[in-house]
Amino acid sequence: MRSIIAGTVLVVLLSACSSTPERAPEQPPAEEQQQPQEPVLDPAAEAYESISLAMSVGDPEEAIAAYQEAELADPESPDTQVLLANLYVAAGQLPQAREILNQVLDADPQNADALYLLALIEGSDGDEDRERELLQQSLEVNPENAPAQAALGEIELRNRRYDAAESAFAASLEVDPENLVALIGLGNVKLRTDEPEQAAEILTTAIEEAPEYSFAYADRSRAWAMQYELESAEDDLNQAVELEPDFIWHRYDRGLIRLERSNFTGAIDDFTSVIEEDPSIFLAYVHRARALDQEGERDAAIADYETALELRPDYHPGHRPLGTLYFEDERFGAAAEQFRAAWEDGNPNDPRDPGMAMMAALSWKMADDTERADTFLEAAAADFPRPGLWYDMARFYLRPGYDGSILRGIEDEEDRLLQARMRFYLAGQYEALGQTNSARALYLEVRDSDLRGFIETRLARQRYERMMPAE
């Protein structure tokens, strides 16, 4: 909002300054006309120059002071009053701006600039209906009001009416091809409608128009990331961070890109800086935990996941990785609670993963709490698909005995992933029963299946190495 208003102020200033003489040279006496003369600044031009200078350095309060001290030719004119309202808005003094604009519109209800600026104020107060109404009134008076078209596009974009947003931004750009709000808005429409190539092209134009605007680089980085051009995405975020180092979300986004590029140290640095500035952003802990885990910093990763779940106990996706880390750390009781939560607290609209229930039962078995494992699994297995290997494995956990049928079922399974997962749970049951050789052999098979990204293959590798005899 503030960036848009600042742009509005500068446009008004340029319009005002273009209507006043830059210099009004004094006419010296004839006998002195051969002498070079310093031109004298016209009072009106001097006033506008002072206001413009204050705005260019981001000091709207100084601009207001310059306005109040100026000897303007017609301080009560609507244009001059709208200029003052712009300055109040840029300074965050919205009640004063609204009062002035209402006075202007009482005298001239068709003042397009006043209608547009009042619309921005209403929008900043959350009254979107009134904002839309005023923008439409402004466009009825002046259909070629490019800023008003762009602001209308932003309303449509916020409400995910992408066709309407695109039409409004296009109309703005037809009048003013350099309108930054319309360029950024149209770029975001293309991002949200899965057209990243067009988004990158439009946002490149925006960057050419405003190379100091950090958010254009941040938006274009999303377009690159959608095309998996991660180096370009990180380059743009580097620029965004350099331009606006205090905006922590640029560093957050860069941390995500670095994580995706396996630059775990860089990702840790970015998420750490975000956490230091705002410790309440729970996802920063989640993503830093992922990077720490990849760096082998298990204790630190566990601490970050714990913090994230303290901040957001309803963050269901955090249970699985935290349970995995606890299991690797042989904190089996804690692991069981996380896997139980991953099974019970999932999204009711998504099919639950029986592996989470099996992991909870196995963790309790490894913690020598067979009674709790059996009680939990008896209830959970009622929701397993049957007939099928998940249900058969649950029955084998509950009543370990002859394993021939479950082994045959695993060997006959055509789904390679399901086959590997079943071998892991069978290995876990063997280990819990003290059948070390059988467990180790199955863990090795799962490890060698090289199915990456699944906790069963990860834990099989770790359990196999733990069970190897010391040299």
Side-chain angles (χ1 to χ4, degrees), residues 159-181:
N159 287 282
R160 301 181 181 181
R161 293 191 285 264
Y162 299 129
D163 288 344
E166 183 169 356
S167 296
F169 291 133
S172 176
L173 291 169
E174 186 175 346
V175 176
D176 179 10
E178 299 177 358
N179 186 289
L180 182 61
V181 174

Side-chain angles (χ1 to χ4, degrees), residues 188-206:
N188 273 272
V189 169
K190 297 299 183 183
L191 285 173
R192 299 179 194 190
T193 54
D194 294 323
E195 300 175 83
E197 292 182 6
Q198 294 92 324
E201 182 179 345
I202 294 165
L203 292 165
T204 296
T205 302

Side-chain angles (χ1 to χ4, degrees), residues 378-393:
E378 189 77 54
D383 292 328
F384 284 12
R386 65 173 91 175
L389 278 176
W390 286 113
Y391 185 75
D392 293 345
M393 185 62 71

Side-chain angles (χ1 to χ4, degrees), residues 78-155:
D79 288 347
T80 309
Q81 287 297 296
V82 171
L83 167 60
L84 179 58
N86 267 283
L87 298 176
Y88 276 125
V89 170
Q93 300 177 38
L94 301 188
Q96 295 92 323
R98 181 184 275 109
E99 181 180 356
I100 292 169
L101 292 168
N102 283 328
Q103 291 173 358
V104 170
L105 290 169
D106 285 342
D108 179 13
Q110 301 298 305
N111 189 303
D113 290 335
L115 288 166
Y116 164 65
L117 185 57
L118 186 58
L120 296 186
I121 294 172
E122 299 295 351
S124 74
D125 281 350
D127 191 344
E128 187 177 281
D129 291 340
R130 180 62 174 155
E131 179 187 14
R132 183 192 294 276
E133 178 186 352
L134 290 166
L135 288 172
Q136 290 171 339
Q137 289 178 23
S138 178
L139 287 167
E140 287 172 6
V141 176
N142 178 14
E144 294 191 347
N145 187 335
Q149 285 283 14
L152 197 58
E154 286 193 304
I155 295 176

Side-chain angles (χ1 to χ4, degrees), residues 51 65 166 387 405 430 464 467:
I51 295 168
E166 183 169 356
S405 60
Y430 285 153
Y464 176 77
M467 296 176 72

